[in-house]
């Protein structure tokens, strides 16, 4: 019995420094992988339209879009705290009612962040000539 305990104790504490280093490396790897989880947050962005000089925007169905984005938490926090607006040029549009697609190509999204959804996906904009 005493020999079994001695053998067990010898097996546990033999090469203790190697085992301690292996424990620290496994903890660091575990924390690194845990820290790479994808988080999902929402962000609102103000939308403005620019038109030709002789025209004005008479109305629009929404002045903001809501993004659902995912990525690493530090990147999301930094992006969410940044203030930004989206200015879309409608200089090539004539007077009338237009539906403008809100796709991700028009957004300035940092690398590492994915856009999951954009709502509304379209904004109706009415362009008219200014009243004199």
């Amino acid at each position: 019995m005493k020999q079994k305990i001695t053998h067990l104790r010898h097996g546990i504490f033999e090469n203790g420094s190697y085992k301690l280093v292996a424990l620290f490396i496994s903890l660091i790897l575990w924390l690194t992988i845990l820290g790479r989880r994808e988080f999902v947050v929402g962000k609102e962005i103000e939308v403005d339209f620019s038109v030709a000089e002789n025209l004005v925007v008479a109305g629009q169905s929404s002045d903001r879009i809501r993004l659902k984005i995912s990525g690493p938490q530090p990147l999301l926090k930094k992006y969410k705290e940044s203030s930004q607006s989206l200015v879309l040029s409608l200089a090539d549009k004539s007077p009338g009612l237009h539906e403008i697609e809100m796709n991700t190509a028009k957004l300035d999204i940092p690398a590492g962040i994915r856009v999951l959804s954009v709502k509304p996906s379209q904004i109706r904009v009415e362009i008219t000539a200014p009243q004199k």
Side-chain angles (χ1 to χ4, degrees):
M1 177 76 167
K2 189 172 183 171
Q3 186 180 16
K4 286 184 180 182
I5 293 174
T6 306
H7 183 63
L8 182 63
R9 188 175 287 162
H10 182 64
I12 291 173
F13 294 109
E14 184 179 329
N15 296 326
S17 60
Y18 292 121
K19 291 177 182 177
L20 194 61
V21 169
L23 175 67
F24 283 123
I25 289 173
S26 62
L27 284 174
I28 290 170
L29 287 173
W30 181 64
L31 290 173
T32 302
I33 291 170
L34 184 67
R36 290 186 179 242
R37 289 189 316 179
E38 293 280 316
F39 290 88
V40 177
V41 296
K43 178 178 172 82
E44 282 196 358
I45 297 179
E46 189 174 322
V47 179
D48 291 319
F49 296 99
S50 65
V51 293
E53 284 185 32
N54 58 341
L55 300 174
V56 294
V57 174
Q60 60 193 64
S61 61
S62 179
D63 63 346
R64 295 185 172 276
I65 57 173
R66 289 175 303 285
L67 302 177
K68 188 175 182 183
I69 53 179
S70 74
Q73 188 175 16
L75 276 176
L76 289 177
K77 183 178 179 188
K78 185 176 180 182
Y79 181 69
K80 189 170 179 177
E81 290 174 353
S82 69
S83 63
Q84 95 181 71
S85 64
L86 178 63
V87 179
L88 298 173
S89 175
L90 302 179
D92 61 334
K93 303 289 184 190
S94 59
L97 189 62
H98 302 276
E99 288 194 5
I100 309 301
E101 290 286 328
M102 294 290 116
N103 59 29
T104 58
K106 298 175 182 176
L107 302 170
D108 183 26
I109 305 294
I113 294 180
R114 290 184 311 128
V115 177
L116 301 175
S117 68
V118 179
K119 291 185 182 178
S121 60
Q122 293 180 342
I123 295 181
R124 271 186 242 103
V125 180
E126 185 178 356
I127 301 173
T128 61
Q131 305 260 337
K132 293 184 179 181

